[in-house]
C-alpha cells in the first residue's frame, strides 16, 4: 500500500511537473509569437506604406509627362516628389547663349549660368534676358582664374568685378559660384555668400564637340538631383542641352536652378558648403 501510494504520488508529481513544464514552454512560445508578429507586421506595414508613398509618386511623375507632354513646359514653383535636375553652363555668356535661353524658356526649363565676368559687357542684353527669364546668375571669376593661385584680395577682386559687370547688365548680383578648373579652396569660400557649386555629371563637352556624344553621356549618368556641367560657348553643347531637356522632361524630370535644387524638400543652403548634387532623402 505504501509502495503504491508512493508510486502514485510520484507519478502525480511527475505529471504535475510535466504539465507545469509544458505550460512554461508554451507560454514563451505564445509570447514570442505575439511579440514577433506585430513587429514583423508593423515592419512590413511601414515598408509597404513607405514604398507605396515613394514608388507610385515617382512612377506617377515619370508617367505623367510622357503621356501628356503638353502639360510639362509650364514648370511649377514647388516640386514635391518630382525628379529634379540642374543644368549649369560655364564660361559664357557667348553668342550662343541667347538661343539657348530662348529654347530653355520655350520648355519651361530653368538653368544656372556661371559667367566669366569679362564676357558680360559684350552680351549685356543676353544677361538681362537671362535674369528676366528667371535663370540663376553664377560667378566664374572675371578672367577665368584658378583661385588657388590667387591671393585672397585678388580672389575677392575677381568676384566683385564679375558681380559689378552682371549688376550693370541686369541690376542683379550673382548668387552662386563655381571655381574655374574646379580648383578647390575652402578658405576663399568662407569669404563669399554664394552657393558653391560643383557638378555630378560631366560629359566633357569642351573636349568632344559632338552633340550626340554629349547627350548620350549625360543621359547615361543623370539621376534625380544631378548637377550637369556644360559650356554655352559651343553650339554642339547648346544643341545637346536642348535635346537633353526634351528627353528628360519626357522621363518626368523638372529643370530647376542650382539654388532650387539644393533647397528641395525644405533644405537650407549652407553658403560655405561645396555642392555636387542634391539627391532626394
Ligand atoms: Ni570654366
Amino acid at each position: 500500500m505504501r509502495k503504491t501510494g508512493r508510486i502514485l504520488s510520484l507519478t502525480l508529481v511527475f505529471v504535475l511537473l510535466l504539465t507545469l513544464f509544458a505550460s512554461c514552454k508554451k507560454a514563451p512560445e505564445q509570447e514570442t509569437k505575439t511579440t514577433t508578429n506585430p513587429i514583423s507586421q508593423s515592419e512590413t506595414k511601414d515598408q509597404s506604406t513607405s514604398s507605396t508613398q515613394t514608388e507610385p509618386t515617382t512612377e506617377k511623375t515619370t508617367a505623367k509627362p510622357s503621356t501628356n507632354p503638353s502639360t510639362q513646359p509650364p514648370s511649377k514653383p514647388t516640386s514635391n516628389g518630382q525628379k529634379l535636375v540642374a543644368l549649369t553652363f560655364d564660361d559664357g555668356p557667348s553668342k550662343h547663349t541667347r538661343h539657348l535661353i530662348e529654347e530653355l524658356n520655350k520648355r519651361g526649363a530653368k538653368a544656372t549660368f556661371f559667367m566669366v565676368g569679362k564676357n558680360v559687357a559684350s552680351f549685356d542684353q543676353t544677361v538681362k534676358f537671362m535674369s528676366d527669364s528667371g535663370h540663376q546668375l553664377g560667378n566664374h571669376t572675371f578672367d577665368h582664374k584658378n583661385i588657388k593661385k590667387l591671393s585672397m584680395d585678388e580672389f575677392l577682386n575677381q568676384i566683385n568685378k564679375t558681380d559689378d559687370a552682371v549688376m550693370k547688365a541686369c541690376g542683379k548680383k550673382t548668387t552662386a559660384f563655381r571655381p574655374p578648373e574646379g580648383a578647390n579652396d575652402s578658405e576663399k569660400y568662407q569669404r563669399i555668400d554664394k552657393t558653391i557649386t560643383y557638378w555630378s555629371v560631366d560629359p566633357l563637352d569642351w573636349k568632344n564637340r559632338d552633340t550626340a556624344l554629349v547627350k548620350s553621356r549625360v543621359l547615361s549618368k543623370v539621376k534625380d538631383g544631378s548637377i550637369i556641367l556644360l559650356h554655352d560657348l559651343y553650339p554642339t553643347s547648346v544643341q545637346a542641352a536642348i535635346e537633353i531637356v526634351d528627353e528628360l522632361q519626357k522621363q518626368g524630370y523638372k529643370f530647376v536652378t542650382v539654388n532650387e535644387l539644393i533647397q528641395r524638400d525644405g533644405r537650407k543652403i549652407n553658403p560655405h558648403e561645396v555642392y555636387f548634387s542634391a539627391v532626394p532623402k
Side-chain angles (χ1 to χ4, degrees):
M1 275 293 280
R2 283 199 89 178
K3 256 188 184 175
T4 47
R6 210 183 264 171
I7 290 165
L8 252 170
S9 58
L10 265 172
T11 44
L12 251 170
V13 168
F14 183 72
V15 168
L16 253 168
L17 274 170
L18 250 177
T19 45
L20 251 172
F21 181 74
S23 64
C24 281
K25 232 191 147 188
K26 241 183 185 176
E29 252 183 16
Q30 280 172 337
E31 264 175 49
T32 46
K33 259 185 191 169
T34 44
T35 46
T36 50
N37 268 355
I39 290 170
S40 59
Q41 269 174 2
S42 66
E43 268 176 2
T44 47
K45 240 186 189 176
D46 280 350
Q47 278 167 358
S48 63
T49 46
S50 63
S51 62
T52 44
Q53 267 168 358
T54 49
E55 273 171 26
T57 44
T58 47
E59 270 172 25
K60 264 182 203 165
T61 47
T62 48
K64 253 188 193 170
S66 58
T67 49
N68 196 0
S70 60
T71 57
Q72 186 60 24
S75 60
K76 292 167 199 162
T78 53
S79 52
N80 287 340
Q82 184 157 27
K83 290 191 283 186
L84 304 179
V85 64
L87 267 182
T88 64
F89 297 94
D90 285 13
D91 298 355
S94 80
K95 60 180 178 182
H96 306 293
T97 308
R98 174 169 281 275
H99 168 63
L100 170 62
I101 295 168
E102 284 168 353
E103 294 303 312
L104 292 173
N105 290 355
K106 276 185 207 166
R107 291 160 175 80
K110 293 282 183 281
T112 304
F113 292 84
F114 292 95
M115 294 178 277
V116 170
K118 67 179 178 188
N119 295 345
V120 169
S122 313
F123 299 99
D124 58 340
Q125 289 308 304
T126 299
V127 174
K128 177 90 170 69
F129 181 44
M130 184 190 291
S131 173
D132 290 348
S133 303
H135 301 288
Q136 189 174 352
L137 309 172
N139 195 315
H140 198 49
T141 74
F142 194 83
D143 296 296
H144 202 266
K145 291 279 192 193
N146 181 326
I147 64 166
K148 283 184 102 170
K149 295 175 181 166
L150 300 176
S151 69
M152 187 62 84
D153 281 349
E154 286 169 337
F155 166 70
L156 292 173
N157 188 39
Q158 286 283 317
I159 296 293
N160 293 335
K161 267 170 77 182
T162 302
D163 270 355
D164 289 347
V166 172
M167 175 67 87
K168 208 176 164 190
C170 70
K172 282 183 184 167
K173 284 209 289 189
T174 63
T175 53
F177 173 73
R178 175 175 283 157
E181 301 165 27
N184 195 14
D185 193 333
S186 54
E187 201 185 317
K188 292 193 172 87
Y189 300 155
Q190 305 301 314
R191 299 290 299 273
I192 55 170
D193 191 18
K194 301 180 192 296
T195 310
I196 311 297
T197 314
Y198 277 60
W199 57 88
S200 58
V201 178
D202 179 6
L204 301 174
D205 65 320
W206 54 273
K207 201 175 178 184
N208 302 101
R209 316 273 173 91
D210 181 329
T211 297
L213 185 61
V214 168
K215 180 185 167 187
S216 73
R217 280 176 178 167
V218 170
L219 294 179
S220 68
K221 270 203 83 179
V222 75
K223 59 180 186 178
D224 188 359
S226 291
I227 297 176
I228 301 168
L229 169 63
L230 290 167
H231 297 78
D232 50 332
L233 295 179
Y234 316 116
T236 46
S237 298
V238 167
Q239 184 56 32
I242 295 163
E243 293 179 23
I244 287 162
V245 170
D246 284 340
E247 175 55 34
L248 291 183
Q249 283 187 336
K250 275 185 209 160
Q251 294 180 25
Y253 280 89
K254 182 181 175 186
F255 285 82
V256 294
T257 65
V258 161
N259 275 13
E260 286 169 335
L261 181 75
I262 292 166
Q263 291 178 102
R264 71 186 306 172
D265 310 322
R267 293 179 213 178
K268 298 259 187 298
I269 295 175
N270 176 355
H272 308 306
E273 192 176 327
V274 174
Y275 290 98
F276 293 84
S277 61
V279 294
K281 277 173 190 167

